[in-house]
Amino acid sequence: LLCGGPALAAAAPAPARSEPRLLEVDDQFAIREVSDPRISPDGRWIAYTVATDDLKEDESKSRIWMVPVGGGDALPLSAKDEDSSSPRWSPDGRYLAFLSSRGGDEDRKGKAQVFTLFREGGEAVQLTDTAQEVEFFEWSPDGKRMLLVLKDPKPEELEAKKAKEKGEEYKKK
């Protein structure tokens, strides 16, 4: 006769289950979508995104988190109110690059750029400043460069960039 352990757990009655119910709209907005897990080069950390839907703002925003591979508390790496995605570790594992549409002027709002964050903390640093949105990026094997995928800019995006470089305000025509 075994005392305790799995045998005792199997003999204990199962907890009472609540009655099934239909899904409601609020249930959809309580669901978080976890995606794009990336293991650090040293195998100690996993960076990933968590998307949250906001009914009041009628939008979805993703936030980047990091958790130790062996388990433990997850650490937020990107700001709660900013949309951030595509976490990618530098080849040496010291930095995490990601796409975000944070900051910038009105003409840049919603146009993702590449940012980096020192793995051990600190503020994100913007690496790219393109007229159009960065669609995709990847570190070079030596970590000194990045490949960027961009769409051709629209004429108004080019005009806004030129005006900004001159210190002028761009006004749509």
Side-chain angles (χ1 to χ4, degrees):
L1 198 25
L2 295 173
C3 295
L8 184 58
R17 293 185 184 186
S18 60
E19 291 297 315
R21 66 177 178 81
L22 295 175
L23 287 176
E24 298 176 4
V25 172
D26 289 341
D27 294 329
Q28 172 64 35
F29 290 96
I31 295 173
R32 306 291 184 254
E33 180 183 338
V34 177
S35 62
D36 206 5
R38 299 292 169 149
I39 299 173
S40 64
D42 64 8
R44 295 177 46 211
W45 297 94
I46 300 172
Y48 59 96
T49 62
V50 178
T52 305
D53 292 327
D54 186 337
L55 179 61
K56 291 177 186 170
E57 297 295 323
D58 190 29
E59 65 184 5
S60 178
K61 288 190 177 177
S62 290
R63 190 172 184 193
I64 298 174
W65 292 78
M66 180 174 74
V67 66
V69 168
D73 293 334
L75 306 170
L77 294 180
S78 61
K80 184 178 181 180
D81 299 328
E82 303 292 345
D83 192 29
S84 301
S85 64
S86 304
R88 301 291 184 266
W89 293 101
S90 62
D92 64 7
R94 294 180 63 211
Y95 296 92
L96 188 70
F98 59 95
L99 294 177
S100 184
S101 53
R102 65 177 62 199
D105 52 32
E106 258 327 286
D107 294 324
R108 298 290 169 102
K109 198 157 183 91
K111 294 181 182 173
Q113 298 294 313
V114 179
F115 288 77
T116 59
L117 187 61
F118 186 57
R119 186 192 70 193
E120 295 177 8
E123 288 295 316
V125 175
Q126 185 173 346
L127 282 187
T128 62
D129 186 20
T130 60
Q132 67 277 44
E133 180 173 46
V134 175
E135 302 275 325
F136 174 84
F137 73 96
E138 192 64 55
W139 289 93
S140 66
D142 64 4
K144 294 180 180 177
R145 291 169 279 181
M146 284 188 176
L147 166 78
L148 302 177
V149 176
L150 310 166
K151 288 183 179 177
D152 287 338
K154 297 175 185 172
E156 58 268 14
E157 290 173 326
L158 287 175
E159 292 297 322
K161 175 120 174 111
K162 287 177 188 176
K164 182 180 178 184
E165 288 170 353
K166 292 179 183 177
E168 300 171 357
E169 186 177 328
Y170 173 72
K171 293 182 180 151
K172 290 184 181 182
K173 297 174 184 174

